[in-house]
């Protein structure tokens, strides 16, 4: 009776091994689920980027407003008859410390 119980226990462990650690086991399934979730997150990011790019392409194909906006912003272009005005930030203030005084004159080496 004891031998049969031992054999059944060994067989039970042998059957469980592929279920947990085998090629299609639970550990592998959990790892694949994690990878699928990670890839889904990447796909959502890429889908939103693609939607934004598709909208931009549609704007560029359908109207001149988007083209004009890009030309003005990226290339600095102006229409005929317009005047381009650019505001430049003021130069940084100089330091509050006064400049160093000039060095004292060197004594002459020869006497007269």
């Amino acid at each position: 009776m004891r031998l049969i119980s031992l054999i059944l226990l060994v067989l039970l462990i042998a059957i469980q091994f592929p279920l947990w650690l085998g090629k299609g086991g639970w550990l592998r399934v959990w790892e694949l689920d994690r990878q699928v979730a990670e890839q889904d997150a990447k796909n959502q990011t890429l889908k939103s980027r693609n939607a934004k790019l598709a909208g931009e392409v549609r704007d560029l194909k359908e109207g001149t407003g988007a083209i004009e906006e890009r030309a003005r912003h990226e290339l600095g272009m102006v229409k005929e008859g317009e005047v381009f005005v650019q505001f430049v930030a003021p130069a940084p203030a100089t330091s509050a410390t006064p400049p160093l005084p000039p060095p004292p004159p060197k004594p002459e080496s020869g006497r007269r």
Side-chain angles (χ1 to χ4, degrees):
M1 184 71 172
R2 186 166 171 99
L3 181 63
I4 293 175
S5 299
L6 185 62
I7 291 173
L8 289 176
L9 180 66
V10 169
L11 287 175
L12 180 65
I13 291 173
I15 290 172
Q16 291 293 316
F17 179 78
L19 177 66
W20 292 100
L21 303 173
K23 188 173 184 177
W26 283 107
L27 295 177
R28 178 73 175 145
V29 169
W30 287 333
E31 175 63 23
L32 290 175
D33 281 343
R34 187 192 61 77
Q35 288 177 4
V36 166
E38 186 178 306
Q39 190 62 46
D40 282 342
K42 286 179 186 178
N43 288 350
Q44 288 299 328
T45 304
L46 292 174
K47 281 181 184 179
S48 66
R49 188 191 76 177
N50 287 348
K52 187 188 307 183
L53 289 173
E56 203 170 315
V57 166
R58 187 176 52 254
D59 286 346
L60 289 172
K61 282 182 178 180
E62 291 176 0
T64 59
I67 296 172
E68 182 178 339
E69 179 185 345
R70 278 209 163 189
R72 288 176 180 270
H73 179 69
E74 294 176 5
L75 303 175
M77 299 179 86
V78 295
K79 287 183 179 177
E80 233 178 274
E82 287 184 334
V83 177
F84 178 71
V85 178
Q86 182 177 10
F87 293 97
V88 180
T94 58
S95 66
T97 59
L100 295 174
K106 291 185 180 179
E108 294 182 21
S109 60
R111 286 198 153 170
R112 291 190 191 181

